Amino acid sequence: MSKTTPATLFLTKAGVAFDLHPYDYDPDAPRVGLQAAEALGVDPDQTFKTLMAEADGKPVCVVVPSPQEVSMKKLAAHFGAKSAHMMKVPDAERLTGFKVGGISPFGPRKMVPTAIDETAQLFDTVYINAGQRGLLLSIAPDDAARVLSAGYVDLMA
């Protein structure tokens, strides 16, 4: 497993501190983020998943706690859209350059507007995918928000 990914290169270039956390990725896990949290022995609410969605047909990225579901209504409202839905897997992979299960908000092929669930502020560090399956990174939430130009928003259903 390479520990250099577009996500780690992006953060390094931006001068943002992070630590890497490899784990045994289970492609058959019903919820990959929860499996990652368990494998690393960290609080599932501190482990954030990266989801690609479309708001009025425009790509957006949302970063939310792994156990939670995103409210499409709240997501649409945040991005000033009338409606929102999850992006299809092939579209998400093509847009980001990452495989599902390894999508990171850091260093995608194309940067898109990003929102981070407000609960990230409850933690000194959060765990977010580092750009490949089986590799998370820990980062200060404010550093993540700053480097992504992302706002904190109530996104949960």
Side-chain angles (χ1 to χ4, degrees), residues 10-11 14 16 106 111 139 142-150:
F10 174 85
L11 291 171
V16 175
F106 311 109
M111 292 298 290
I139 187 170
D142 286 348
D143 286 345
R146 179 179 46 78
V147 76
L148 294 170
S149 299

Side-chain angles (χ1 to χ4, degrees), residues 70-88:
V70 175
S71 164
M72 290 296 141
K73 187 174 182 178
K74 290 178 181 178
L75 185 155
H78 173 70
F79 289 109
K82 292 180 182 173
S83 67
H85 63 272
M86 294 304 299
M87 191 178 287
K88 292 179 180 162

Side-chain angles (χ1 to χ4, degrees), residues 52-77:
M52 300 305 295
E54 293 182 4
D56 283 353
K58 295 182 178 148
V60 297
C61 177
V62 293
V63 181
V64 296
S66 290
Q68 305 301 322
E69 296 297 322
V70 175
S71 164
M72 290 296 141
K73 187 174 182 178
K74 290 178 181 178
L75 185 155

